[in-house]
Amino acid sequence: MTESVGTPHADPVPGSDETPWEPPLAGTEAEALLGALDRLRWTFRWKADELDTAGLGQRVGRSTLTIGRLLKHLAVAEDHAFHTKLDGSPLPAVWDANGWDDDPDWEITSADQDEPEQLYAYWDDAVARSRERVGAALRQGGPDQEVHAATGTGVHANLRRLLCDMVEEYGRHTGHADLLREAVDGRVGEDPPPGWRPVSGRGRPPGS
């Protein structure tokens, strides 16, 4: 049995104004990697949108994860991947006043004290920085280019590995957000509805 991705004219249309999160059907390797990552970013942002402090702090079962904690954690993950790992740059100044020396999970646990608008801003701004930096790197070379991140033996990763790792990171946490958002108000679904745009925070599409 074969699976179909649909005909070229079928909805949703990749890259359209109504469904900009749809990856290209036949893009280059770089376009496919970025398309997969951006689709997860859009879906995560949709799951996280329009929540107050109580909604961002909702938990499920014995897990301590919340959507608020995921917003801040993924913001740090974006900056760490596409600053420190990409070219050795320090984390942006927004993270200077941190508590990692005392708590290795500081970005997760400290999110409970942040206001909703701050949590949305952390994520919105980090994704915008990531897309700008990755775009610049890809213009200089393809996914094969060596990046700063290396193993203990000095073997450097390439940009492809950074992008794949971020797809994995979002795959895990978007799944968590699925369950958490359903527990808040019943919102479910694989992708945002056609035409959706963020309301909370900057109120702008991911990475813009």
Side-chain angles (χ1 to χ4, degrees):
M1 177 179 173
T2 59
E3 295 184 5
S4 171
V5 295
T7 58
H9 61 274
D11 287 331
V13 179
S16 73
D17 289 342
E18 287 294 289
T19 56
W21 47 83
E22 280 293 317
L25 285 174
T28 64
E29 180 187 13
E31 289 168 344
L33 286 169
L34 290 175
L37 177 54
D38 274 340
R39 181 179 188 176
L40 287 165
R41 284 169 170 159
W42 275 89
T43 302
F44 173 76
R45 188 62 173 81
W46 173 53
K47 299 291 182 176
D49 203 38
E50 297 182 85
L51 292 177
D52 58 13
T53 298
L56 290 170
Q58 174 72 48
R59 298 185 182 187
V60 174
R62 298 178 64 181
S63 174
T64 61
L65 284 177
T66 68
I67 289 178
R69 289 181 167 200
L70 291 176
L71 278 164
K72 195 169 184 179
H73 170 67
L74 285 170
V76 171
E78 292 269 5
D79 280 332
H80 183 58
F82 300 124
H83 283 75
T84 309
K85 289 185 176 182
L86 179 63
D87 59 14
S89 298
L91 291 176
V94 67
W95 306 118
D96 284 352
N98 67 73
W100 282 308
D101 286 344
D102 298 320
D103 179 3
D105 294 323
W106 167 81
E107 81 279 8
I108 295 175
T109 56
S110 66
D112 297 347
Q113 283 73 57
D114 291 322
E115 295 296 323
E117 291 306 298
Q118 179 63 72
L119 292 171
Y120 288 119
Y122 280 141
W123 190 89
D124 289 345
D125 292 346
V127 173
R129 288 189 292 267
S130 292
R131 296 194 81 230
E132 181 178 354
R133 291 176 64 79
V134 171
L138 286 170
R139 287 191 292 274
Q140 296 173 3
D144 283 329
Q145 67 184 280
E146 187 176 277
V147 298
H148 180 76
T151 66
T153 59
V155 178
H156 285 262
N158 57 28
L159 182 53
R160 178 187 296 104
R161 174 60 187 264
L162 292 192
L163 291 169
C164 286
D165 282 355
M166 191 56 66
V167 168
E168 178 190 16
E169 185 81 4
Y170 270 96
R172 295 176 62 243
H173 292 318
T174 301
H176 293 141
D178 280 334
L179 296 176
L180 290 164
R181 186 54 187 255
E182 185 174 6
V184 174
D185 60 8
R187 175 176 290 186
V188 295
E190 181 178 353
D191 291 318
W196 177 82
R197 295 295 184 273
V199 173
S200 302
R202 306 297 192 198
R204 66 191 188 197
S208 64

